[in-house]
Amino acid sequence: MSVLRPLDKQPGLNTATILLVGTEDALLQQLADAMLKEDCASELKMYVAEGGGVRWLRHGLTVPRCQEGGGSHLARSLPLPSDVNRPRIDLIMFVVNLHSKYSLQNVEESLRHVDATFFLGKVGFLAMGAGQESHCSIHRNTVTKLANTYRSPLFFCDLEREGFRATVAQRLVRMLQICAGHVPGVSALNLLSLLRSSENPAPEDL
């Protein structure tokens, strides 16, 4: 079984890379676009692992999916396809749609392909759809227990609302810069300790 490790690639100069994992293709695309619009001193690179495959986004441009012979990035979820040219992953965000049991199953399956050292501050969970509790097929406590099991922060959010999505994007960029080592005096472990000191913090509280 292929396992994603935080140090399996050399870091790029002033480069920060996030991996978004989830089944909500359109919303993940919108979140990634919002992050790429943020004013950031670091060069942002993104992988979006979704139900239809894995896409690499950089500088606001989506790299087209290619056929297998031409540098394919297609996959159902984790593990990532073998690619010697991909950058090092600094932060993984697992996105769970509380209205879809398949979304939770996809995240649970993907977690098996992540090395334990990633959970030292370089993994987080986003739970979307909590605002429409009557439509939820996954209880909030289920996702909370999952995040606690992996000792990683959990944020409840509504990615369908543009204003909130922009706020989440801004905070994720900040988290990404810290996890990539671009914020002097603050490490991923410092961030994890801060986030876990507050139960299920909202992204705007970071």
Side-chain angles (χ1 to χ4, degrees):
M1 180 175 64
S2 179
V3 175
L4 188 63
R5 295 179 172 83
L7 300 179
D8 61 353
K9 299 284 184 179
Q10 291 294 322
L13 181 62
N14 201 34
T15 298
T17 305
I18 187 172
L19 172 64
L20 301 174
V21 182
T23 58
E24 303 300 315
D25 298 16
L27 290 177
L28 287 182
Q29 174 72 60
Q30 291 172 9
L31 177 59
D33 288 344
M35 291 183 66
L36 289 167
K37 290 178 182 177
E38 287 296 316
D39 185 15
C40 179
S42 305
E43 177 186 358
L44 299 184
K45 296 182 179 180
M46 302 188 189
Y47 271 98
V48 180
E50 53 192 25
V54 175
R55 290 179 292 126
W56 177 28
L57 293 92
R58 179 181 180 186
H59 297 310
L61 299 177
T62 300
V63 178
R65 300 181 186 184
C66 307
Q67 297 301 318
E68 188 168 355
S72 171
H73 292 297
L74 295 181
R76 287 293 175 185
S77 57
L78 295 187
L80 289 178
S82 178
D83 183 357
V84 295
N85 295 317
R86 74 162 175 82
R88 187 181 73 173
I89 305 297
D90 298 300
L91 173 65
I92 305 175
M93 293 301 299
F94 291 97
V95 183
V96 178
N97 183 353
L98 297 180
H99 301 168
S100 169
K101 291 183 179 180
Y102 170 68
S103 174
L104 177 62
Q105 179 183 356
N106 180 73
V107 166
E108 290 175 331
E109 289 292 324
S110 296
L111 283 164
R112 297 166 47 205
H113 300 282
V114 179
D115 186 74
T117 53
F118 249 113
F119 299 99
L120 297 176
K122 292 178 176 286
V123 169
F125 293 86
L126 287 177
M128 53 173 287
Q132 298 175 310
E133 197 163 349
S134 61
H135 295 86
C136 290
S137 56
I138 302 170
H139 198 278
R140 292 167 63 111
N141 287 345
T142 301
V143 184
T144 300
K145 290 179 181 179
L146 180 66
N148 288 340
T149 297
Y150 288 94
R151 299 184 177 276
S152 298
L154 167 65
F155 311 111
F156 290 96
C157 60
D158 186 356
L159 295 181
E160 293 183 347
R161 294 169 53 190
E162 183 177 357
F164 200 98
R165 186 168 62 244
T167 300
V168 173
Q170 182 182 44
R171 304 311 176 187
L172 288 184
V173 168
R174 184 61 173 173
M175 286 180 62
L176 176 57
Q177 288 181 295
I178 292 173
C179 291
H182 297 172
V183 179
V186 185
S187 68
L189 278 175
N190 294 146
L191 177 63
L192 177 62
S193 177
L194 174 64
L195 294 176
R196 287 187 59 81
S197 66
S198 174
E199 185 177 0
N200 301 332
E204 60 265 29
D205 293 335
L206 294 181

